[in-house]
């Protein structure tokens, strides 16, 4: 691409990949942000009123929703009203030039604008076209796809909360994030296929399928064992201790996942004989007799505070950790040298944001652009998309 009005290409493992982002809210924008961090040039296509998350506040930074800021760095924004023939034509041209198109409209909703997979791939056979929905493009296509609904319908909420209390949602839109990750994985795999064959393809992700695979051991309990798991609060159905236990001040997560770790736990707690007790010799024994074992552990843990036990147990190789608020989580990441906060943008536009989760030794993630204002790059993108295409675009 040689024209100076074309989107800027950055470094990174996805340098040279143009992503047309027709997604909104969380799953799609999260996926495209990850791609942008890895060097893809992402053009965020918004309606005239912008992404819904622009208005999801508080909290805010200045007068901008922190929700929006959290999943939209590294992108350029163009506002297009797809009901307008001229704007729809610009959108189709972007789709024709894109390496990747990501959308989370209702299945089939883009067909009337000539932006469905069949139409886009006819003009752009190499396109990797990623669709994210709640329940797939078949019989569930008309069911709205909200994360909270999927948490309920998948069974997750039946597993979350106190056994004697109501079911609870997870504290984040866990399946939106999971589906966003699955979309990014699918896109990367499809790009690899295109590198080998020159052929694009349609990548479909839905929140319910992401949820069912994400329920892992609980899904397997049902599918392979015929067992319907139930709500156990913070307890684990197959491992003990693997839950918060009270100390002299705060609760401490203790996760002794095998016999060796349990022996080390007992040694640090000063009760090595418990590890040799036949009642608790194997994981299955400890899980079955958890109500006998828990008070023994709690009695010893009550002699010190959570952070003191954390230092002693981790030093001995026993997995454990304090229960932090979000600020404590970031502080812990700082302590471990993970540098969890990076800044994107300059001057008044500089925004602190959470570091990309993947470390690359040769092609590190880059944070080139702050989350865009609505239609911030509209003029330059329209100019590029309405001019004659360069030979090497």
């Amino acid at each position: 691409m040689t024209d100076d009005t074309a989107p800027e290409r950055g470094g990174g493992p996805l340098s040279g990949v143009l992503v047309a982002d027709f997604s909104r809210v969380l799953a799609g924008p999260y996926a495209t942000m990850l791609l942008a961090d890895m060097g893809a040039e992402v053009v965020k296509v918004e309606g005239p009123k912008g992404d819904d998350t622009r208005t999801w506040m508080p909290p805010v930074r200045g007068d901008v929703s922190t929700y929006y800021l959290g999943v939209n760095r590294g992108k350029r924004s163009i506002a297009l009203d797809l009901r307008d023939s001229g704007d729809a034509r610009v959108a189709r041209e972007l789709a024709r030039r894109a390496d990747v198109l990501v959308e989370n409209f209702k299945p089939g909703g883009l067909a009337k604008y000539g932006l469905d997979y069949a139409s886009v791939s006819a003009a752009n056979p190499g396109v990797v076209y990623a669709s994210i929905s709640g329940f797939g493009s078949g019989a569930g296509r008309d069911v709205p796809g909200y994360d909270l609904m999927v948490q309920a319908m998948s069974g997750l909420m039946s597993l979350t909360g106190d056994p004697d209390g109501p079911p609870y949602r997870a504290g984040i839109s866990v399946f939106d994030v999971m589906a966003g990750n699955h979309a990014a994985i699918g896109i990367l795999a499809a790009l690899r296929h295109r590198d080998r064959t020159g052929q694009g393809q349609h990548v479909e992700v839905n929140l319910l399928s992401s949820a069912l695979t994400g329920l892992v051991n609980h899904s397997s309990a049902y599918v392979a064992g015929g067992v319907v798991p139930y709500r156990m609060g913070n307890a684990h159905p197959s491992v003990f201790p693997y839950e918060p236990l009270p100390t002299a001040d705060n609760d401490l997560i203790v996760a002794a996942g095998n016999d060796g770790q349990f022996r080390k736990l007992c040694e640090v707690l000063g009760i090595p004989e418990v590890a040799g007790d036949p009642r608790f010799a194997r994981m299955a024994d400890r899980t079955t007799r958890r109500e006998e074992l828990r008070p023994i552990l709690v009695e010893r843990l009550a002699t010190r505070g959570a952070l003191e036990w954390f230092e002693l147990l981790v030093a001995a190789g026993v997995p454990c950790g304090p229960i932090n608020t979000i600020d404590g989580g970031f502080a812990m990441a700082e302590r471990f040298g993970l540098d969890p906060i990076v800044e994107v943008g300059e001057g008044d536009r500089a925004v602190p944001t959470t570091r990309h989760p993947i470390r690359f030794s040769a092609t590190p993630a880059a944070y080139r652009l702050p989350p865009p204002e609505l239609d911030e790059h509209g003029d330059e993108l329209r100019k590029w998309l309405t001019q004659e295409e360069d030979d090497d675009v």
Side-chain angles (χ1 to χ4, degrees), residues 336-362:
F336 296 148
L338 299 178
D339 301 324
I341 300 174
V342 294
E343 194 167 86
V344 58
E346 299 178 351
D348 293 340
R349 293 293 304 280
V351 178
T353 185
T354 307
R355 179 180 292 278
H356 187 88
I358 303 171
R359 301 265 181 160
F360 295 90
S361 64

Side-chain angles (χ1 to χ4, degrees), residues 245-252 301-309:
L245 296 173
T247 70
D249 47 24
N250 300 312
D251 283 359
L252 179 74
L301 287 167
T303 62
R304 300 176 189 264
L307 288 177
E308 190 174 0
W309 281 123

Side-chain angles (χ1 to χ4, degrees), residues 218-256:
H218 295 297
S219 291
S220 184
Y222 170 66
V223 173
V227 174
V228 177
Y230 57 90
R231 196 156 56 252
M232 298 180 64
N234 288 315
H236 193 287
S238 308
V239 183
F240 185 84
Y242 196 92
E243 61 186 63
L245 296 173
T247 70
D249 47 24
N250 300 312
D251 283 359
L252 179 74
I253 295 293
V254 178

Side-chain angles (χ1 to χ4, degrees), residues 1 32 37 57 105 130 169 187 218 247 272 283 325 361 390:
M1 183 180 293
T32 56
D37 290 346
M57 55 182 75
F105 282 69
R169 67 179 288 268
I187 288 165
H218 295 297
T247 70
M283 180 63 73
T325 50
S361 64
D390 289 319

Side-chain angles (χ1 to χ4, degrees), residues 205-216:
V205 174
N206 70 81
L207 270 65
L208 183 57
S209 293
S210 288
L212 296 180
T213 190
L215 289 172
V216 286

Side-chain angles (χ1 to χ4, degrees), residues 1-44:
M1 183 180 293
T2 60
D3 188 84
D4 60 10
T5 63
E8 174 185 336
R9 303 292 189 174
L14 295 181
S15 177
V17 173
L18 175 62
V19 178
D21 182 6
F22 286 82
S23 67
R24 305 93 78 201
V25 186
L26 181 50
Y30 182 71
T32 56
M33 181 182 72
L34 297 179
L35 301 178
D37 290 346
M38 293 186 285
E41 181 60 42
V42 178
V43 176
K44 182 177 179 67

